[in-house]
Amino acid sequence: MLKLFDTYSQKLVEVGPQRQIKLYTCGPTVYDYAHIGNLRNLIFNDTLKRTLLAEGYEVNHVMNITDVGHLTSDADEGDDKLETSAKREGKSVWAVADFFIQEFHANASALNILAPTKEARATDYIEQQIALVQTLIDKDYAYQTKQAIYFDVTKFAGYGKLNRQSLDDKLTAARSQVVSDKAKHHPQDFALWFFTTGHFADHTMHWPSPWGEGFPGWHLECSAIIQTLLGNPIDIHTGGVDHIGTHHPNEIAQTEAATGQALTKIWMHNQFLQAEGHKMSKSAGNFYRLRDLVDRGYHPLAFRLLMLQSHYRNQVNFTWEALADAQHFLLKLYNWAELVYQPSFAPLADEVVGQIKSDLVDDLATPTALAKLAELKHERPSHGMLETLDELLGLDLAKRSDISAPQKALIADRETARLNNDFTNSDRLRTELQKAGLSLDDTEFGPRWRRSTI
Ligand code: AMP
Ligand code: ZN
């Protein structure tokens, strides 16, 4: 039985017996390269999805792509991140979004992330977002100022329940914030629709609406996309812990106020990847991209493995030493996987797949699962077993268990030379194999090759 930790109830909850799971992920804001903290979030989502699939669920997974409306502060203050990036790069906002979406896909594919069933760009759902604002106005949850249309948080009884903060607590916390629109009723009220006026007069992305030209607030897209593509309540909603305070309470407020139904049954949040003891973020400048890791000789899947070595609900401090250890561990796993094709009488590691599955269904206990794999030195995998492990963990064990036909031919030639006492050719061929990253041991069962680099 699959159990997951639900942020809302702060409990492990069982995923129901239904066949289909509606899963929604708050995806990237495409104004810059993803940093490896964002990628931790992707790896967490992917592990969740692979576990659901292994448990026999059909997963209808929607992820949004934010290409409008996300201001410098999640609490709707500052500038639109995409507009700022476009000005800096001298490009259109659309070109910026397209470029970083491509980069995001390249990262996801290097990390073996399963593509969502549907990726939804915020700007493709403007009509639905406008309709949602209209419903909130009709139901008296929203009001208009000269600058924007806001959601009135005092009208929504459960506001802030997700992070167990009352509106009074939030009010105290918000006092120090600069609120640019003095006509807002409550500092916590959040924008549903910004007008292209005042601070945003030059905003290049804008659309007509019944209330005037403008663009949607960031929180709105998730509620509108969920309602359009999945229908609430969905089964699982995911995101990073930074969304527990503002973005997710706002999504809940919009959806529940508009539909009278819960947004989701389960809330899941991954903890931060840190660097130098602080949340890795673009604004703090303490971030690395996947490219930086690759440039230093690390395989993207070594980073995936490093992330799986910690539980998604624990903070992780990124260090190069830990990444080097993870790369070494990955090589050891590949060396273990290679045993499929090695002559040996070692017994099959029959039980490991079942053990790993039972760790994953226990709130995605990836560190325990990997510790089990690390213990396997003398038992052999089967090819089918490696494929199942790849379905669960996405580490390419099956793919990396074999070598090319020409390399195998070289090994056979070298063995023939060795058995004929032709040591010159035997040594030459061994050196050639070494250059290709393969080392050889002569065992009682025949030559055993081993990858010596990733
Ligand atoms: P963003 O592109 O900033 O909207 O973030 C995309 C996803 O990455 C969100 O779900 C964030 O919560 C998550 N995220 C951002 N920074 C980190 C971090 N340092 N560690 C883990 N997840 C993060
Ligand atoms: Zn969202």
Side-chain angles (χ1 to χ4, degrees), residues 1-5 12-16 21 47-57 236 266 268 357-365:
M1 180 60 88
L2 174 57
K3 286 192 188 147
L4 300 170
F5 186 81
L12 280 176
V13 294
E14 285 178 5
V15 178
I21 293 287
T47 306
L48 169 64
K49 196 154 125 192
R50 286 169 182 273
T51 304
L52 288 163
L53 292 170
E55 282 295 277
Y57 292 104
I236 309 173
I266 301 176
M268 292 181 78
K357 272 191 189 162
S358 54
D359 287 329
L360 290 178
V361 298
D362 179 13
D363 194 29
L364 317 181

Side-chain angles (χ1 to χ4, degrees), residues 68 121-139 142 144 149-151 191-196 205-228 254 258:
V68 67
R121 279 177 78 151
T123 50
D124 289 335
Y125 293 84
I126 297 294
E127 203 182 299
Q128 292 83 348
Q129 296 179 68
I130 290 175
L132 181 53
V133 178
Q134 189 62 60
T135 307
L136 292 170
I137 293 175
D138 293 347
K139 295 195 169 183
Q144 183 169 348
I149 296 179
Y150 293 103
F151 186 97
L192 300 167
W193 188 260
F194 288 106
F195 296 116
T196 31
M205 284 198 194
H206 51 88
W207 294 264
S209 83
W211 323 284
E213 200 74 13
F215 62 97
W218 169 47
H219 315 289
L220 190 64
E221 66 190 61
C222 292
S223 290
I225 290 169
I226 288 173
Q227 225 176 309
T228 309
Q254 292 164 157

Side-chain angles (χ1 to χ4, degrees), residues 107-181:
N107 280 339
S109 128
L111 290 167
N112 279 348
I113 306 294
L114 301 174
T117 319
K118 173 102 181 140
E119 227 172 63
R121 279 177 78 151
T123 50
D124 289 335
Y125 293 84
I126 297 294
E127 203 182 299
Q128 292 83 348
Q129 296 179 68
I130 290 175
L132 181 53
V133 178
Q134 189 62 60
T135 307
L136 292 170
I137 293 175
D138 293 347
K139 295 195 169 183
D140 202 25
Y141 283 104
Y143 63 91
Q144 183 169 348
T145 71
K146 285 201 180 103
Q147 292 184 29
I149 296 179
Y150 293 103
F151 186 97
D152 184 338
V153 292
T154 59
K155 298 220 167 124
F156 182 70
Y159 192 75
K161 262 197 191 162
L162 182 65
N163 64 337
R164 290 167 303 285
Q165 265 202 325
S166 71
L167 217 43
D168 286 345
D169 296 340
K170 285 210 150 212
L171 190 57
T172 318
R175 284 221 175 90
S176 56
Q177 275 174 225
V178 186
V179 177
S180 50
D181 188 349

Side-chain angles (χ1 to χ4, degrees), residues 422-438:
D422 176 359
F423 296 117
T424 316
N425 269 323
S426 159
D427 286 351
R428 181 181 58 76
L429 289 166
R430 178 196 277 273
T431 311
E432 203 170 313
L433 285 159
Q434 271 168 352
K435 280 191 194 143
L438 292 176

Side-chain angles (χ1 to χ4, degrees), residues 345-379:
F345 290 129
L348 271 183
D350 280 330
E351 283 165 13
V352 71
V353 172
Q355 290 170 343
I356 285 177
K357 272 191 189 162
S358 54
D359 287 329
L360 290 178
V361 298
D362 179 13
D363 194 29
L364 317 181
T366 51
T368 332
L370 290 174
K372 302 234 167 76
L373 271 190
E375 278 166 23
L376 293 170
K377 300 218 168 63
H378 306 296
E379 298 99 321

